[in-house]
Amino acid sequence: MKKNLTKQSGFTLIELVIVIIVLGILAATAAPKFIDLQSDARISSLQGVKAALEGASTLTYSKAAIAGLEKSATAVSVSIGNGVTVDAIFGYPEAEASNIAKVIELSSGDWTISGADPTLIYPSGGVSTCNASYTEGTSIARPTIIVNETGC
């Protein structure tokens, strides 16, 4: 008699189940990394706002120094170009919402700027504790700009 020499190839049911289980475990460990992307995006955009505030305050100080107004302890009007003037104390922008809105151009639909010393900037429709805060400079210190990641 002749023996049947054909071999069957393919995966057994147990092998397929093991592969599915391993893929499920990998997906369960990777999913939290991707779910938290929205929070990371908010924090990154606030870091960008912080950088914009730092640049704007430095430029305002430079304009005030050129005009000889960098030592004024009271609010003085400083022209920052294109017919825009801001109130500055010790050469840095005064921490008031309307003043900060002049030095950094943010979309009013995307960002909310509120308060005075500190002025808070946070994503519109977001939690106000997830913000960048701007506190006025003093005669010996630059303005303090902090990103608060709470609630992002």
Side-chain angles (χ1 to χ4, degrees), residues 44-94:
S44 293
S45 63
L46 285 172
Q47 292 292 345
V49 167
K50 177 183 178 186
L53 281 169
E54 289 171 346
S57 68
T58 300
L59 289 172
T60 304
Y61 183 83
S62 299
K63 292 280 192 167
I66 290 169
L69 302 171
E70 78 277 10
K71 296 183 184 198
S72 176
T74 58
V76 293
S77 185
V78 175
S79 174
I80 59 172
N82 295 332
V84 178
T85 59
V86 296
D87 293 333
I89 296 177
F90 295 111
Y92 296 107
E94 184 179 20

Side-chain angles (χ1 to χ4, degrees), residues 37 103 127:
L37 289 178
V103 296
V127 180

Side-chain angles (χ1 to χ4, degrees), residues 3 14 23 25 27 33-34 56 70 75 79-80 86 90 93 98 100 103 105-106 115 125 128 131-132 134 136 140 152:
K3 286 191 172 185
I14 292 175
L23 289 174
I25 291 170
K33 297 240 184 238
F34 295 111
E70 78 277 10
S79 174
I80 59 172
V86 296
F90 295 111
S98 61
I100 297 302
V103 296
E105 295 180 15
L106 296 174
S128 64
N131 62 49
Y134 177 89
E136 289 175 2
I140 57 171
C152 287

Side-chain angles (χ1 to χ4, degrees), residues 95-140:
E96 183 184 309
S98 61
N99 215 32
I100 297 302
K102 290 178 187 177
V103 296
I104 57 172
E105 295 180 15
L106 296 174
S107 168
S108 61
D110 295 332
W111 295 94
T112 301
I113 303 173
S114 66
D117 206 18
T119 300
L120 301 179
I121 303 164
Y122 53 93
S124 293
V127 180
S128 64
T129 57
C130 174
N131 62 49
S133 68
Y134 177 89
T135 305
E136 289 175 2
T138 64
S139 62
I140 57 171

